[in-house]
Amino acid sequence: MTPVVPAVVAAARQLVDPVLREAVARLDPITARVAGYHFGWTEEPGGASPGGGSPGGASSGRSSGGSSGGGKALRPALVLLSARAAGGDVARCSPAAAAVELVHAFSLLHDDIMDGDRMRRHRPAAWTVFGGSEAILAGDALLALAGELLVERDGSGHLDAARSLSLAVRGLIAGQGMDLEFERRDDVSLDECLRMSARKTGDLLACACSIGAMTAGGSAELVEALAAFGAEAGLAFQLADDLLGIWGSPETTGKPVRSDLRARKKSLPIVAAITGGGAAGERLARLLAQLAPLSEPDLVEAARLVAEAGGRTWAETEAKHRLDTAGRHLAGVEMPAAVREEFLDIARFITARDH
C-alpha cells in the first residue's frame, strides 16, 4: 500500500506554491513557459494553468501537485519545519522554502537531459517537449531565482541561508559530476557511490532541514543537528529511490520499470551487488558490461541478479540504518515534540514508497 503523504507536506505546497508562481512570473515568457510546464501548472505548451492563470503567473488556483505535476513539496516542508523547530514564523520562511524547491527543480531539469530520461512525474520531461537548450536555460533561470528570493530578505539569517544553499548547490553539482564519471568506469566502489549520493542528494536535504532555522535565528547547535538529520535522511531517500529505479512500478516512479538497469546506472544496490564478491555479482557485471542493448529478458535477469547478490537486502538495511541515525540527531537537540515527530514522519514517508 502506498504511504500517505504527511499533512505537513500538503500544507507546505499550499503555502509555497504562490511564492513559486510569483518568482517564475519574473522570468521572460519563453523560460517561464518551460518552468510552468515543469512545475505542473500547464498540461502542454501554451495551455492554461490548472488555476486559470498564465504559466508563469501568480494564479490563486491549485497546482496539479501530487505525484504528477509539480511534485510533493517534500523539501519545502522540511524548510518550514526547520523554521518551526527554531520558533520561527513559517510564512516569513516561505521564500527560503521556495528557494530550495527552485534549486530542486533546476537539478531535475538538467538531470533529465544528462540522463536521457524522457519521463518526469508521469509526463514527458520538459526537454522532450521544449528542447534540451530551452530546458537548460529554464533550469539556470530557476537557480538564479532561488538566490534572489533569499538575498531579498533582510537579516543575517537570510544571508547565512543563501550561503548554505549555495554550498548545497555546489555539492549537488559535484555529486552529479561523480555520477557522470561513474558511467565511464567499471571499477566504482561502494564507498565512492555512497559519497556521490551524499553530495548529490544529501547536501540539498541537509540544507532544506536547516536553513529555515537559520532564517528564524535558531542556535548553531540546532542548525547543526537539523543539517545532520537531513544528510542521513538524504542518503536513506537515495537508497529508497535507487530501489525504485529497479523494482518500482511506473505508477509510483513515473518511469519505465527497471529504468536504472536499462540505463546501466551505478546505483547503490547495483554497485553493492557487483562489489559483493559473489558469483551472482560477477554475472551481473558481465551482463551490464555487454555492448548490445539490454533486452527485456536481460533486464529481468539483471534485477534478479541484483537481489541474489545481496544488493536489494543491503540497500533496504542501509536505508533503515540511515533513518535510525537521522532520528538520533533529532533526539539530541531541543525542539517542540510535534515538530520532531513531523520531521520523522517525512523521513519515514520518503523511505517507504512502494517498490
Side-chain angles (χ1 to χ4, degrees):
M1 187 173 75
T2 302
V4 177
V5 179
V8 65
V9 176
R13 170 59 68 193
Q14 292 295 316
L15 183 63
V16 172
D17 192 71
V19 184
L20 290 171
R21 288 177 180 266
E22 186 280 327
V24 171
R26 305 178 189 184
L27 300 177
D28 65 275
I30 296 174
T31 308
R33 187 173 63 161
V34 181
Y37 174 85
H38 176 77
F39 279 119
W41 302 334
T42 59
E43 292 302 319
E44 57 186 345
S49 71
S54 64
S59 165
S60 60
R62 287 181 41 163
S63 69
S64 54
S67 59
S68 62
K72 294 187 177 69
L74 292 168
R75 289 158 189 82
L78 292 168
V79 177
L80 299 178
L81 280 177
S82 173
R84 287 174 53 198
D89 179 0
V90 294
R92 179 170 171 75
C93 185
S94 59
V100 170
E101 187 72 348
L102 288 167
V103 167
H104 180 52
F106 141 77
S107 72
L108 296 182
L109 282 163
H110 285 203
D111 282 1
D112 284 345
I113 297 168
M114 286 184 278
D115 295 341
D117 286 340
R118 304 188 65 85
M119 297 295 293
R120 168 65 59 185
R121 296 168 181 149
H122 308 276
R123 302 193 307 165
W127 72 272
T128 70
V129 177
F130 298 93
S133 297
E134 289 80 0
I136 290 171
L137 287 174
D140 293 344
L142 296 183
L143 180 59
L145 283 176
E148 284 181 31
L149 290 183
L150 287 174
V151 299
E152 286 171 350
R153 294 283 174 143
D154 296 329
S156 61
H158 282 82
L159 180 60
D160 290 341
R163 184 180 297 109
S164 176
L165 187 59
S166 180
L167 290 172
V169 170
R170 287 207 285 116
L172 185 159
I173 292 170
Q176 179 67 9
M178 293 172 69
D179 198 12
L180 291 173
E181 181 200 9
F182 291 172
E183 294 178 7
R184 301 186 291 270
R185 292 174 48 194
D186 56 8
D187 60 343
V188 177
S189 71
L190 190 54
D191 283 344
E192 284 181 303
C193 201
L194 282 167
R195 287 197 298 272
M196 178 271 290
S197 297
R199 303 303 304 276
K200 184 176 177 179
T201 304
D203 280 10
L204 188 58
L205 261 291
C207 177
C209 288
S210 57
I211 69 168
M214 290 180 191
T215 64
S219 68
E221 179 187 15
L222 175 63
V223 169
E224 182 179 348
L226 291 173
F229 165 82
E232 294 292 343
L235 272 174
F237 174 86
Q238 187 60 58
L239 286 155
D241 203 57
D242 285 353
L243 288 165
L244 286 172
I246 301 174
W247 292 283
S249 68
E251 291 76 17
T252 299
T253 66
K255 298 180 180 181
V257 66
R258 293 180 286 275
S259 59
D260 280 1
L261 288 168
R262 184 175 287 101
R264 307 179 202 237
K265 289 183 70 68
K266 304 293 196 306
S267 70
L268 285 161
I270 294 170
V271 173
I274 290 174
T275 60
E282 293 174 0
R283 293 200 301 275
L284 174 65
R286 289 195 297 270
L287 178 59
L288 295 180
Q290 70 181 38
L291 296 178
L294 297 174
S295 65
E296 286 304 315
D298 287 337
L299 295 172
V300 171
E301 174 66 3
R304 188 191 70 77
L305 288 171
V306 174
E308 182 182 334
R312 184 172 190 169
T313 298
W314 175 86
E316 291 170 342
T317 302
E318 185 69 11
K320 183 180 184 305
H321 166 68
R322 297 291 178 171
L323 201 59
D324 291 343
T325 303
R328 286 195 290 273
H329 286 296
L330 291 189
V333 69
E334 186 176 342
M335 72 176 68
V339 173
R340 181 181 289 109
E341 189 56 36
E342 285 177 303
F343 267 121
L344 294 173
D345 281 346
I346 293 178
R348 287 189 287 261
F349 170 73
I350 63 178
T351 55
R353 296 168 297 164
D354 288 350
H355 54 266

